[in-house]
Amino acid sequence: MIKPIKVTITGAAGHIGYALAFRVASGEMFGPDQPVILRLLEIPQALSSLNGVGMELEDCALPLLHDIVLTDDPGIGFRETDYAILIGAKARGKGMERKDLISDNAKIFSAQGKAINDHASGDVRVLVVGNPANTNALIAAANAPDLENKQFTAMTRLDHNRALGQLANKTNKLVADITRMTIWGNHSMTQYPDISNCRIGGASALELVTRDWAIDHFIPRIQRRGGEIIEARGLSSAASAADAVVDHVRDWALGTPDGDWVSMSVRSDGSYGVSEDVVFSFPVTCKAGEYEIVQGLELDDLSQARLKASEKELLEERAIIQELL
Ligand code: NAD
Ligand code: LMR
């Protein structure tokens, strides 16, 4: 029998967690033959709701779901886990920026970094979703001294997918025809969605759209999309966020397609001149649980200025939570 993969989801009774747990348990993350054990971690006040999620998972009779653990104890939630998906945190409301959440959320990630260090598998892979995701990933990694920075990532896959969707709409092509999209920087208004390397069915994206459309419409639309969803729903994105979690972890674990890459926020190694002190979104290729930053892409002056602006914002966020590192 194939050994089950243990997956911890924090905030599993919340909007994203509820949309995610069933997809992981049905095999969308690790494939149709790979059993999973779900460890769902919540705060004590949400345990009743979490029990309901557990009952619904049982009622699906999913053949790949070998066990479900429901807990408010991080020591149990992260025990020997292979993948830790850190969603549990406050979400922003209308009129807020994601960095306004730092004071409420940062401490969650120092505590969970320690718990992952002490209880998870030594080979654990961590994805931080709770905002501000990049800085929270920095905090979690810093509090897990026995683990390597490369085991901690933050999610910019939702921005990447949003960018694919908008570009497909504009060019009247299929998302599946587009490769080499890149989101650079922070999961925030300073992110840089970059189509300059995109290929669409054999052509360069820049042959199919104008530079003015990219600068005046596409980039700000992706930067503001989270806020646009909050305006419309009164709540932040949930199903699309869960979908991006599935994509991020699946590609990290199983690999990216040949000739393409994805966007992941990872600890900078100095590539493209980005400070090594931040978790920054880069184009990456993945294979068997390891990622590599794509090297050698050309960045014009405007692009470099955009990367610098996002780096500056991340360094400012870092200064605010310095005592947690
Ligand atoms: P939600 O309020 O619906 O759910 C959050 C859940 O987390 C709640 O059930 C809460 O009880 C739980 N929680 C809080 N503190 C916890 C802790 N210490 N341990 C375990 N669980 C805890 O929120 P949501 O819509 O699911 O969003 C969750 C987070 O994800 C927010 O910070 C949101 O901004 C962020 N988010 C990020 C992205 C991204 O692309 N990176 C996308 C969407 C949302
Ligand atoms: C998103 O991009 O949808 C999330 O980060 C939620 C938010 O606050 O915008």
Side-chain angles (χ1 to χ4, degrees):
M1 192 185 71
I2 303 174
K3 191 173 164 224
I5 292 178
K6 299 186 191 73
V7 183
T8 302
I9 301 175
T10 74
H15 290 93
I16 302 173
Y18 185 70
L20 176 66
F22 298 85
R23 296 188 60 181
V24 178
S26 66
E28 285 187 53
M29 189 172 266
F30 299 108
D33 300 320
Q34 175 60 60
V36 293
I37 292 173
L38 283 183
R39 297 180 174 268
L40 306 183
L41 178 65
E42 261 293 352
I43 52 175
Q45 305 88 297
L47 277 183
S48 166
S49 172
L50 186 67
N51 276 329
V53 177
M55 287 184 232
E56 285 203 71
L57 280 162
E58 264 176 21
D59 294 349
C60 292
L62 295 162
L64 292 176
L65 183 56
H66 281 207
D67 195 12
I68 312 169
V69 177
L70 308 174
T71 183
D72 62 356
D73 178 346
I76 297 173
F78 292 118
R79 184 176 296 158
E80 292 171 6
T81 205
D82 300 303
Y83 288 86
I85 302 170
L86 308 188
I87 300 170
K90 254 195 181 172
R92 68 174 166 147
K94 287 185 188 178
M96 292 172 73
E97 289 299 327
R98 297 178 185 92
K99 63 187 161 201
D100 298 336
L101 295 164
I102 286 191
S103 57
D104 283 324
N105 287 347
K107 287 195 185 69
I108 297 175
F109 294 88
S110 54
Q112 291 184 350
K114 289 190 183 84
I116 289 169
N117 187 70
D118 294 347
H119 300 285
S121 153
D123 213 23
V124 65
R125 298 288 184 269
V126 182
L127 168 59
V128 176
V129 177
N131 278 319
N134 295 54
T135 295
N136 289 338
L138 188 75
I139 296 170
N143 283 277
D146 300 335
L147 302 175
E148 294 183 55
N149 281 325
K150 67 174 192 185
Q151 292 173 257
F152 290 79
T153 62
M155 194 164 88
T156 30
R157 185 59 176 265
L158 178 53
D159 311 284
H160 180 103
N161 288 347
R162 287 168 172 163
L164 290 175
Q166 292 301 316
L167 187 57
N169 279 349
K170 176 70 182 171
T171 55
N172 217 7
K173 304 280 184 193
L174 299 175
V175 161
D177 294 331
I178 306 175
T179 57
R180 304 189 178 194
M181 177 65 73
T182 307
I183 305 293
W184 302 93
N186 197 3
H187 175 60
S188 76
M189 286 290 288
T190 66
Q191 68 175 272
Y192 172 34
D194 176 12
I195 61 166
S196 60
N197 299 289
C198 280
R199 310 285 305 167
I200 310 185
S204 161
L206 296 175
E207 292 165 25
L208 301 176
V209 298
T210 63
R211 190 177 152 78
D212 284 353
W213 175 79
I215 291 177
D216 297 338
H217 297 279
F218 171 77
I219 293 174
R221 186 92 195 263
I222 305 306
Q223 290 171 328
R224 293 190 190 126
R225 186 63 156 191
E228 197 182 343
I229 304 276
I230 292 170
E231 278 299 321
R233 264 170 46 86
L235 286 170
S236 61
S237 62
S240 56
D243 183 71
V245 172
V246 171
D247 288 349
H248 177 117
V249 176
R250 183 200 59 229
D251 288 348
W252 195 3
L254 305 181
T256 43
D258 284 346
D260 199 4
W261 62 65
V262 294
S263 304
M264 273 168 65
S265 287
V266 302
R267 184 64 180 257
S268 172
D269 63 355
S271 293
Y272 299 97
V274 175
S275 164
E276 294 183 24
D277 288 339
V278 297
V279 170
F280 197 89
S281 186
F282 288 101
V284 301
T285 55
C286 304
K287 195 172 176 187
E290 305 293 338
Y291 66 78
E292 270 186 38
I293 298 173
V294 175
Q295 298 296 325
L297 301 179
E298 303 233 330
L299 292 169
D300 61 16
D301 289 349
L302 193 61
S303 299
Q304 275 175 16
R306 290 187 189 277
L307 264 64
K308 278 287 156 213
S310 214
E311 176 198 61
K312 177 169 174 286
E313 179 183 49
L314 282 164
L315 289 169
E316 286 164 3
E317 289 183 18
R318 182 188 167 104
I320 295 169
I321 51 79
Q322 184 68 44
E323 79 282 3
L324 295 176
L325 299 181

